[in-house]
Amino acid sequence: MLGPTFFANFFQATNVIPNIVYEVLAGPVLALVVVPAVVRAFESVGPERARELVRALSGFLLMASGIAAALLVALSPWIADLLTRGVPEGAVRERAAHLTMLLVLFVAPQIVLYTIAFLGAAAQQARSRFALSTLAPTVENVGLTATLVTAAVVYGRGLEVDAVPVGMVVLLGVGSTLSVALHAAVQVVGAARVGLLTLPSLQWTHDPEARALVRYLVRSVRVAAFPAIGVLGLLALAVTVPGGVLVLQMAIYVYNFPVSVGARAVSIAVLPGLSDAARRLDRAAFAASTRQAIVYGLVAGFAALSLLVGLGDPVAFLLAQGELRGTDLVGVLALCVAIVGVAQLVGGLHEVARQALFARSDLDGPRRASAAALVATAVTGLIAIAMPSPESRMAVLCLALLARDLTGAAMLVRRLGRAVRPETILDRRRLAAAALAVTPALPIGLLGTAVIETVAPGRIFTALLLAGFGALVLVAYGGTFLLAGRARVRWTR
């Protein structure tokens, strides 16, 4: 909606900073720590003890997120300077910095709101309630889209820094923060439905179990912080390309969706069982649950790979909005969609392996993998700086996501495999069937791309053709997976 402009870069980058700061504080680690603890409290003592634990952890996390929000406001001049480095010196850059600082003031409360939202989601997951916690972020996305559409209608599209009115910045900042507030409200309702809605308390220092969990969270910060810092660094590099942050953000959204509904959802669902098996020192049960989670996550990941690699061009065409559609960045976005189609498969494996190690209270492995992944991200980012054209720079920045996940997943899977020996964590028969199923599915997707590009329809007809060919890809993938699995069973017999 905002077009391939430097202002679009500032808004996209600034709007994701609260989420990145939240991930630095706790992020995905929150569920890995809170869910097993609440499950243990329910099973060993009862619901009242579980509420006490949630109350104590909520008090600590809301205090930490409030301090982080205040620090974000205090650091807004430095953030504005970082995000406006790609703008030529002069009055335009000075105005860009002022607008960015103003936007930071409006989005800083999102850190607290994200903490509330994810505490509510963790409470639901601890009681094996996943539907509402998974769908709640959609409310935020709808609110943000409505905010962008309103801004485009009221103030126009494609405005550059020197033409953007202050009222537009206020509208974008307030609208995006209200969208996060709606997300948090839905998660709070979900926590109330499972009986874990409680007022936060600062008495966590008097609860030995809560103190131990707080210490564990603090020690886990590096696991969540390094990936978040890596993404922030990539966004800072993308600022140097007009519209680059928008392209990178779209690629990250495409990456996150299959990981969230596939591997992450699966790993969260099996986390209570993994924690229980680890507590009982039942290595066979732990390995069996891990194998199941990896299979389900990668089966979903291979299906998403077939869709995103095969149909990357029409997906990019539909994602491109306004003036972005008429630029060379659409082709770069299509390439990035294909790259993250591969990256999400590896990222899903990374997600499941990390969750399994956390269930074993193994913090050292995820911390080392997180540090190595950050190094891989930084090295790839430095390579991107050396690229001669904006398009090649953006493509390498998207490759940084793949490099990060390959590095982290390799280390985590190796460590997890050693931890469960002589059991195995990979069901090679079913994983081979899933990989084989890509063989007929991917060409169908590529054929769909060729047909859509030949016909060159409008957006509505493109969406219909994309849906049709996407369905064919999934049918081919699913059918081949089932047939390959049955054939391997008969052959082994």
Side-chain angles (χ1 to χ4, degrees):
M1 295 294 177
L2 301 180
T5 63
F6 281 117
F7 176 69
N9 282 350
F10 307 150
F11 172 72
Q12 292 290 338
T14 305
N15 193 50
V16 300
I17 285 177
N19 187 266
I20 290 174
V21 173
Y22 161 75
E23 291 192 355
V24 169
L25 289 174
V29 174
L30 180 61
L32 303 179
V33 175
V34 174
V35 171
V38 175
V39 169
R40 286 194 301 268
F42 256 104
E43 293 179 349
S44 60
V45 181
E48 184 57 35
R49 175 56 187 155
R51 280 191 288 271
E52 290 176 0
L53 204 54
V54 171
R55 185 182 304 121
L57 289 173
S58 298
F60 169 76
L61 288 169
L62 290 176
M63 177 188 69
S65 62
I67 294 173
L71 286 175
L72 183 63
V73 172
L75 293 173
S76 59
W78 179 82
I79 295 171
D81 179 69
L82 176 66
L83 296 181
T84 56
R85 289 289 176 88
V87 182
E89 295 282 354
V92 175
R93 181 172 179 179
E94 184 177 348
R95 177 172 172 76
H98 289 159
L99 292 179
T100 304
M101 290 173 60
L102 179 62
L103 193 56
V104 169
L105 294 178
F106 285 106
V107 301
Q110 293 180 18
I111 300 174
V112 178
L113 294 171
Y114 276 122
T115 303
I116 295 172
F118 285 95
L119 278 168
Q124 295 170 70
Q125 292 157 9
R127 302 301 296 144
S128 299
R129 299 291 187 270
F130 305 106
L132 187 60
S133 63
T134 301
L135 294 175
T138 306
V139 177
E140 178 186 337
N141 294 333
V142 171
L144 181 58
T145 301
T147 299
L148 291 171
V149 169
T150 303
V153 170
V154 174
Y155 296 102
R157 297 182 177 182
L159 298 180
E160 206 31 287
V161 175
D162 54 349
V164 172
V166 172
M168 183 177 185
V169 176
V170 173
L171 172 61
L172 290 170
V174 172
S176 61
T177 299
L178 287 176
S179 301
V180 181
L182 287 174
H183 173 195
V186 173
Q187 299 288 23
V188 168
V189 170
R193 290 175 62 186
V194 299
L196 286 175
L197 180 62
T198 179
L199 293 176
S201 169
L202 294 178
Q203 300 300 314
W204 58 271
T205 55
H206 304 296
D207 187 326
E209 187 177 2
R211 285 202 310 270
L213 287 172
V214 167
R215 286 196 297 268
Y216 194 71
L217 273 173
V218 172
R219 290 175 57 215
S220 305
V221 162
R222 197 169 85 183
V223 178
F226 282 176
I229 292 170
V231 170
L232 182 59
L234 295 178
L235 290 173
L237 294 176
V239 165
T240 61
V241 178
V245 173
L246 182 60
V247 170
L248 185 59
Q249 274 297 103
M250 286 181 177
I252 292 174
Y253 287 146
V254 171
Y255 167 92
N256 282 334
F257 181 75
V259 173
S260 298
V261 301
R264 187 169 300 153
V266 168
S267 59
I268 289 174
V270 301
L271 182 58
L274 284 173
S275 301
D276 182 61
R279 180 180 58 82
R280 293 185 286 106
L281 301 179
D282 189 340
R283 184 173 297 182
F286 182 89
S289 294
T290 302
R291 280 196 303 273
Q292 184 182 47
I294 289 177
V295 166
Y296 289 164
L298 291 189
V299 166
F302 276 118
L305 181 150
S306 302
L307 289 170
L308 296 176
V309 175
L311 295 166
D313 283 2
V315 168
F317 174 77
L318 289 178
L319 288 175
Q321 299 289 333
E323 297 181 13
L324 179 64
R325 206 177 309 154
T327 68
D328 294 336
L329 290 179
V330 178
V332 178
L333 178 57
L335 178 58
C336 286
V337 168
I339 292 171
V340 299
V342 179
Q344 60 81 30
L345 176 69
V346 186
L349 180 59
H350 179 279
E351 186 79 24
V352 174
R354 186 178 62 180
Q355 298 248 32
L357 287 173
F358 264 99
R360 290 176 53 86
S361 299
D362 182 348
L363 185 57
D364 188 53
R367 289 173 67 179
R368 291 184 180 184
S370 181
L374 178 61
V375 172
T377 304
V379 170
T380 313
L382 291 175
I383 295 173
I385 295 176
M387 290 294 103
S389 67
E391 291 79 12
S392 60
R393 187 180 307 165
M394 291 305 306
V396 175
L397 288 178
C398 290
L399 279 172
L401 300 174
L402 177 58
R404 175 197 68 184
D405 287 338
L406 279 171
T407 304
M411 295 182 64
L412 292 175
V413 169
R414 183 181 179 186
R415 188 178 183 93
L416 185 59
R418 289 201 305 263
V420 301
R421 286 176 182 170
E423 303 290 336
T424 179
I425 61 171
L426 298 178
D427 186 338
R428 289 178 172 80
R429 179 182 62 82
R430 298 172 73 186
L431 293 179
L436 181 64
V438 176
T439 306
L442 186 57
I444 293 175
L446 295 173
L447 175 63
T449 295
V451 170
I452 293 172
E453 290 182 346
T454 301
V455 176
R459 293 179 66 82
I460 295 178
F461 194 39
T462 296
L464 293 175
L465 286 175
L466 182 62
F469 278 103
L472 290 176
V473 167
L474 293 178
V475 168
Y477 174 83
T480 305
F481 174 70
L482 293 175
L483 290 175
R486 291 174 181 174
R488 282 294 297 269
V489 169
R490 288 196 298 269
W491 184 80
T492 54
R493 288 177 180 173

